[in-house]
Amino acid sequence: MNVHAPLPTTADKPLIDPFGRAITYVRVSVTDRCDFRCVYCMSEDMNFLPKGDLLTLEELDRLCSAFVARGTRKLRITGGEPLVRRDIMKLFQGLSRHLSSGALEELTVTTNGSQLARFAKDLAACGVRRINVSLDTLDPAKFREITRWGDLGKVLAGLDAAQAAGLQVKINAVALAGVNEDEFESMTRWAHGRGMDLTFIEVMPLGDIEAARVDQYLPLTRVQARLSEVFSLEHSDYATGGPARYMRVKETGGRIGFITPLTHNFCESCNRVRVTCTGTLYMCLGQEDAADLRTPLRASESDEALNAAIERAILRKPKGHDFVIDRTTRAPAVGRHMSVTGG
Ligand code: SAM
Ligand code: SF4
């Protein structure tokens, strides 16, 4: 026996859940704060976490790196609005070492676009190649109504900066009954005209908001039916490792994605977990069960306890969520907002 050979550690083993799904994609929320107050995501008057509860940027780096060491190939930085966290580029700069080493395939971000004019170049310099920008309407007044505080002009300038920096942009739009229904065709033409894919998302029952979810909810089966009246939609095998199903639009040559947690459950192929800015690991977006990673992270400088906590948590990953939106189900499926868990 070679006494100098390194002992096998748990850190060499990939994370596999009880249903045989390999966990290779981690979404990390770096803040619960945001410069917008989208009506489906937050109430106008939100209570945010005390800053001391948040993981520091160094702790976030350690946590992400622990997942990368256990086989995570894709890291998505999200929030709240990730680009409003102070010095956030330091996290991207640090994590880019895993891209350089080949351990990580993709480092990406989901943003509302408000700060992109400032940060697009830096993101590209950190090895970010593709980003998701959330945009539900191209009408400035409607944009203000949906986001309450947002300015469409700023987001469009951010998109210009992102594309000029060479970032591939995907637009995410939440389908909202009676709000942006009339824009699906024009948004498709606009996005595809700029070389961007467009993905529609069904509104999910996460957190208490002022409005009733049932009034916002628009099943994407209806969106797809409406789009197929004006476009020829063809099935596409394109996949990004996320939950969207894609269709190609013959007329524009672009792609439309559909994220349908309610009408079409995508849990069987779930490869994801989410970590909040306080180091809480959620094994499923739609379930309450969670694991505290902050305590083991802070307990020691070695990652042994952290690794063990991650491993134990993955063994509890549930088979799927059970979202319901109907007139009799008034309470949200889970109490926390999307801005806490990270979208
Ligand atoms: N602030 C960033 C943004 O808006 O892109 C990142 C975080 S945001 C929570 C991530 C995504 O979640 C956005 O595309 C947003 O539209 C979506 N989202 C928020 N609340 C939602 C809900 N209740 N149902 C479906 N999507 C939601
Ligand atoms: Fe902020 Fe994004 Fe939530 Fe809108 S969806 S309030 S931009 S976190």
Side-chain angles (χ1 to χ4, degrees):
M1 185 181 147
N2 178 0
V3 287
H4 299 296
L7 288 172
T9 64
T10 53
D12 299 322
K13 287 193 280 167
L15 296 166
I16 310 281
D17 82 356
F19 303 94
R21 298 169 296 192
I23 306 307
T24 55
Y25 181 0
V26 178
R27 299 191 180 206
V28 183
S29 173
V30 295
T31 176
D32 61 333
R33 287 164 200 256
C34 187
D35 52 344
F36 291 4
R37 290 289 179 280
C38 301
V39 290
Y40 49 77
C41 178
M42 294 193 181
S43 59
E44 184 147 28
D45 177 26
M46 290 284 289
N47 290 320
F48 293 111
L49 295 162
K51 289 217 169 107
D53 284 4
L54 263 58
L55 297 185
T56 63
L57 293 174
E58 293 72 25
E59 288 170 332
L60 282 166
D61 184 307
R62 234 182 103 197
L63 190 67
C64 291
S65 302
F67 275 101
V68 172
R70 298 296 304 268
T72 287
R73 303 286 294 153
K74 179 167 171 175
L75 269 180
R76 178 176 298 280
I77 305 300
T78 179
E81 175 45 43
L83 301 184
V84 301
R85 172 129 188 200
R86 191 201 291 215
D87 292 333
I88 190 63
M89 283 306 130
K90 285 190 185 154
L91 181 66
F92 283 96
Q93 279 151 9
L95 292 175
S96 69
R97 71 185 182 281
H98 299 305
L99 291 171
S100 314
S101 75
L104 191 63
E105 211 167 283
E106 183 164 27
L107 175 61
T108 183
V109 62
T110 299
T111 172
N112 65 21
S114 69
Q115 311 298 315
L116 270 179
R118 219 169 119 203
F119 290 130
K121 265 195 193 150
D122 296 342
L123 287 170
C126 292
V128 173
R129 295 283 163 259
R130 302 186 305 165
I131 61 171
N132 287 357
V133 179
S134 306
L135 181 61
D136 307 323
T137 176
L138 290 171
D139 174 324
K142 221 187 272 179
F143 185 82
R144 173 56 66 128
E145 260 168 55
I146 296 173
T147 62
R148 291 195 185 104
W149 296 1
D151 172 356
L152 179 63
K154 237 173 138 182
V155 173
L156 295 179
L159 285 177
D160 291 341
Q163 291 193 300
L167 296 172
Q168 199 181 317
V169 179
K170 182 176 75 119
I171 301 291
N172 280 343
V174 176
L176 295 164
V179 178
N180 57 3
E181 282 187 79
D182 56 333
E183 287 189 74
F184 297 154
E185 180 191 344
S186 54
M187 285 186 73
T188 303
R189 292 191 194 280
W190 167 81
H192 291 180
R194 294 185 57 140
M196 307 183 296
D197 288 341
L198 170 65
T199 292
F200 292 102
I201 308 176
E202 279 172 350
V203 91
M204 287 175 258
L206 304 173
D208 269 321
I209 52 169
E210 283 98 353
R213 295 279 177 202
V214 72
D215 296 333
Q216 298 179 336
Y217 174 55
L218 180 65
L220 291 192
T221 40
R222 275 189 17 218
V223 178
Q224 187 172 331
R226 208 165 302 163
L227 285 170
S228 50
E229 286 169 13
V230 282
F231 294 124
S232 322
L233 303 182
E234 298 164 343
H235 282 281
S236 160
D237 292 336
Y238 181 71
T240 60
R245 288 181 294 116
Y246 283 91
M247 305 205 83
R248 178 166 285 286
V249 179
K250 213 168 158 198
E251 290 78 1
T252 63
R255 278 182 295 249
I256 302 184
F258 296 93
I259 301 185
T260 53
L262 286 114
T263 51
H264 174 266
N265 199 308
F266 45 57
C267 304
E268 66 277 4
S269 58
C270 183
N271 56 355
R272 296 175 283 291
V273 292
R274 293 171 155 85
V275 187
T276 70
C277 53
T278 57
T280 303
L281 174 68
Y282 284 99
M283 288 72 86
C284 172
L285 177 65
Q287 302 280 0
E288 299 284 5
D289 190 24
D292 167 30
L293 299 183
R294 188 176 55 184
T295 306
L297 187 72
R298 289 186 174 168
S300 115
E301 277 177 21
S302 123
D303 286 342
E304 214 169 300
L306 175 64
N307 254 312
I310 292 175
E311 208 161 275
R312 278 196 305 274
I314 298 302
L315 292 177
R316 302 207 308 266
K317 185 169 161 69
K319 195 163 179 201
H321 65 68
D322 28 48
F323 290 145
V324 185
I325 293 186
D326 63 24
R327 298 241 166 239
T328 53
T329 314
R330 302 302 291 188
V334 292
R336 59 187 190 275
H337 292 88
M338 186 77 148
S339 51
V340 172
T341 326

